Amino acid sequence: MEASVKTARLFLWLFALLGVTLPGNPAKADELVRFESAPVKLSAFRIRKAAEQGEFLSQPPGTPLLGYLSRPQGDGPFPAVVVMHGCDGMRPSVKDLWPKRLVSWGYVVLVVDSFTTRNIQDTCRSALPDPVFDAYGALNFLSKSSFVDTRRVALMGFAAGGSATLEATKIEGNEQLMDHKFRAAVAYYPICAASQGDATVPTLILSGDRDNWSPAERCRKRLAGVGDDAPPIALNLYKGVYHNFDAPEFAAGRRVLGHIEKYDPDAAAKSIRSVYAFLRKSLSK
């Protein structure tokens, strides 16, 4: 009897890691939602200077955005994950595979589409304006949902979205201007910056050692300067692995702007287990 229970638990755990939704607990279908990026708040100095000149400055609105919302069955409230895509936009693994996996683990998921409303195709040769404010706009949107536990929301990003994730959760960054805060951060193959310093939340970075688009050495340099009392930043580095290693759509591999992007099933599975454990620990009650 005890052996059969252990076997059942093992299968449940494997299903969760692979993102399989079990019968009887189906995930709700993705819902297209609309919200705004967090507005850039006017500083007290700007407001005061405008008043001295007889001007009135109104609070600028946020940028209209689209998102894809998925959630487990039930009333909740559930912990949640905001997902940021990379410079190539809403690829299948970000828009479909990861949300299904996260929902099967018990999380509400909001994938932010930063491109459509801005009429942007990609930003692989340029920069996306204010992706950090997009992330906090998504968090503001979730904060109004009765089925979300806003005390337990993580930010997760891929490539450029991973870089935005680190920027959104760095000390003395725009996070300090926001009403709602993230509880944890997960960044797949981001471009790190040593100047980012400490993080405001526990952070997990996952990279391949052959990734020349987002070199892990920059992340090592940042970690070398992290304070002893700061929230922990973990760097999982996978040997012989390239950019986009978690994305099955790159199974054949490809070269983009001189950079190799290739799926690695072994590294992907290891990283998924790490994310599962990290979120479970970081978003616990």
Side-chain angles (χ1 to χ4, degrees), residues 123-147:
T123 56
C124 296
R125 296 175 178 83
S126 59
L128 176 68
D130 300 327
V132 168
F133 293 89
D134 292 1
Y136 281 100
L139 181 56
N140 291 341
F141 175 83
L142 289 177
S143 72
K144 300 167 186 167
S145 302
S146 62
F147 52 84

Side-chain angles (χ1 to χ4, degrees), residues 11 36 40 43 65-66 81 86 96 102 113 129 205 221 249 271:
F11 276 111
E36 292 185 348
V40 181
S43 67
L65 296 172
L66 300 179
V81 181
D96 299 317
L102 290 166
D113 178 357
I205 301 173
K221 289 180 178 179
E249 58 264 47
S271 75

Side-chain angles (χ1 to χ4, degrees), residues 167-177 195-200:
E167 186 69 18
T169 54
K170 71 175 185 179
I171 198 166
E172 296 182 354
N174 286 313
E175 189 242 26
Q176 61 188 323
L177 304 175
S195 60
Q196 286 172 330
D198 292 347
T200 59

Side-chain angles (χ1 to χ4, degrees), residues 35-193:
F35 55 96
E36 292 185 348
S37 63
V40 181
K41 293 184 178 180
L42 297 173
S43 67
F45 174 77
R46 286 190 63 193
I47 294 173
R48 186 174 68 252
K49 291 299 291 184
E52 290 173 357
Q53 298 170 6
E55 299 177 0
F56 174 75
L57 294 179
S58 59
Q59 176 67 52
T63 301
L65 296 172
L66 300 179
Y68 293 90
L69 181 68
S70 304
R71 63 187 182 99
Q73 287 287 346
D75 297 329
F78 303 101
V81 181
V82 170
V83 176
M84 305 292 289
H85 62 69
C87 73
D88 54 352
M90 303 286 282
R91 67 173 186 239
S93 57
V94 173
K95 183 175 179 290
D96 299 317
L97 182 57
W98 267 106
K100 289 178 181 177
R101 180 178 293 133
L102 290 166
V103 167
S104 77
W105 295 350
Y107 300 100
V108 172
V109 184
L110 178 54
V111 183
V112 181
D113 178 357
S114 292
F115 285 178
T116 299
T117 56
R118 292 185 172 106
N119 295 316
I120 295 175
Q121 296 299 317
D122 71 71
T123 56
C124 296
R125 296 175 178 83
S126 59
L128 176 68
D130 300 327
V132 168
F133 293 89
D134 292 1
Y136 281 100
L139 181 56
N140 291 341
F141 175 83
L142 289 177
S143 72
K144 300 167 186 167
S145 302
S146 62
F147 52 84
V148 173
D149 183 348
T150 54
R151 301 167 301 169
R152 297 190 294 151
V153 183
L155 179 59
M156 182 177 187
F158 299 82
S163 302
T165 294
L166 299 183
E167 186 69 18
T169 54
K170 71 175 185 179
I171 198 166
E172 296 182 354
N174 286 313
E175 189 242 26
Q176 61 188 323
L177 304 175
M178 304 300 172
D179 297 326
H180 301 283
K181 317 288 185 182
F182 289 103
R183 178 89 170 264
V186 177
Y188 266 88
Y189 31 84
I191 294 179
C192 296

